Amino acid sequence: MTNLEQSRFNMVEQQVRTWNVLNQDVLDLLYQIKREEFVPAAYRFMAFMDMEIPLEHDAVMLTPKMEARILQELNINKTDKILEVGTGTGYMTALLAKLGAHVYSVEIVPELHAMARINLQAHDITNITLEQGDAARGWPDHGPYDVIVLTASTPILPEAFQQSLTAGGRLFAIIGEEPVMEAMLITCITPGHYSSIRLFETCTAPFRNALQREQFHF
């Protein structure tokens, strides 16, 4: 086993699996899609570390265990139409595309949008539509969606996302402000009716132009 493969194995076994990610399809995917090939060159040495990787314009690449946990919680089916808000380097996009039918991924930062396009073309992943724009408050263009993934945090969750879910659709979001945010899984039971599960506490960078809480001025 090469050093690279040993590092990948350690990432999966010591970080991901120990964080209660036991879905074999998800674990297999982490071996199949090479994470280091989606990490900016300057940070490639961090590809398997249990930490966020800085990207352009204050964006980050989530930790490996977070990416894997999101995939497991969303329980993606081969027929699912997916919206990803925040394409980043395209790594999460690639994972989602391997599990679902089609991914619509929206990125506000032109440089990241371009990087993701190159990365995904290099891996010959074609069941995706990459769009540049600001989807921090919703992106109904191709909805309704079976799965929505928000890859950055938002102080409050815009209702547009829930309204863009199919019946049975699932939404992953990190909601709140520093220092404590909550990762939530929201499921559409029937149109207008939702169930929410708190998954874990975390903290990550917010979307640019995220919906803010109203400030009270005395």
Side-chain angles (χ1 to χ4, degrees), residues 166-200:
T166 58
R170 288 89 62 212
L171 162 66
F172 175 86
I174 297 169
I175 305 169
E177 297 170 85
E178 289 188 334
V180 177
M181 305 174 185
E182 289 195 297
M184 305 284 293
L185 180 69
I186 297 164
T187 304
C188 176
I189 311 297
T190 56
H193 296 89
Y194 309 93
S195 71
S196 300
I197 300 171
R198 287 188 169 88
L199 299 172
F200 49 86

Side-chain angles (χ1 to χ4, degrees), residues 23-33:
N23 181 312
Q24 198 57 48
D25 290 340
V26 171
L27 296 175
D28 290 346
L29 208 49
L30 301 182
Y31 288 105
Q32 186 186 346
I33 308 271

Side-chain angles (χ1 to χ4, degrees), residues 1-207:
M1 192 183 287
T2 64
N3 283 348
L4 204 60
E5 291 310 316
Q6 184 65 52
S7 298
R8 194 184 326 280
F9 176 82
N10 292 346
M11 175 190 80
V12 172
E13 293 302 319
Q14 294 166 15
Q15 293 172 44
V16 176
R17 193 186 285 276
T18 58
W19 213 44
N20 233 11
V21 180
L22 305 173
N23 181 312
Q24 198 57 48
D25 290 340
V26 171
L27 296 175
D28 290 346
L29 208 49
L30 301 182
Y31 288 105
Q32 186 186 346
I33 308 271
K34 309 294 189 216
R35 192 173 198 265
E36 70 278 9
E37 294 171 7
F38 287 85
V39 174
Y43 295 104
R44 204 146 284 172
F45 69 96
M46 294 169 62
F48 306 114
M49 293 183 184
D50 184 15
M51 57 197 300
E52 293 184 339
I53 293 175
L55 303 175
E56 309 230 358
H57 300 278
D58 299 324
V60 297
M61 198 168 171
L62 296 171
T63 63
K65 68 184 182 189
M66 176 83 88
E67 292 162 337
R69 183 75 179 271
I70 291 169
L71 294 176
Q72 176 171 279
E73 297 291 351
L74 286 169
N75 195 22
I76 297 165
N77 302 309
K78 276 286 175 215
T79 54
D80 283 345
K81 179 164 67 168
I82 302 168
L83 170 67
E84 178 189 35
V85 181
T87 314
T89 67
Y91 177 63
M92 190 71 171
T93 321
L95 298 174
L96 292 166
K98 287 289 184 183
L99 293 170
H102 196 92
V103 181
Y104 295 91
S105 187
V106 189
E107 174 57 58
I108 192 171
V109 178
E111 296 90 337
L112 290 176
H113 171 75
M115 181 198 290
R117 186 173 293 285
I118 291 165
N119 287 341
L120 290 158
Q121 282 173 346
H123 288 78
D124 202 27
I125 296 168
T126 55
N127 58 327
I128 51 172
T129 302
L130 298 182
E131 298 184 285
Q132 194 187 319
D134 183 358
R137 302 185 182 201
W139 196 261
D141 298 24
H142 310 287
Y145 307 98
D146 302 300
V147 171
I148 300 176
V149 186
L150 308 188
T151 65
S153 65
T154 183
I156 51 178
L157 183 67
E159 284 182 14
F161 288 117
Q162 280 151 276
Q163 291 164 358
S164 293
L165 287 173
T166 58
R170 288 89 62 212
L171 162 66
F172 175 86
I174 297 169
I175 305 169
E177 297 170 85
E178 289 188 334
V180 177
M181 305 174 185
E182 289 195 297
M184 305 284 293
L185 180 69
I186 297 164
T187 304
C188 176
I189 311 297
T190 56
H193 296 89
Y194 309 93
S195 71
S196 300
I197 300 171
R198 287 188 169 88
L199 299 172
F200 49 86
E201 287 187 352
T202 187
C203 197
T204 192
F207 284 113

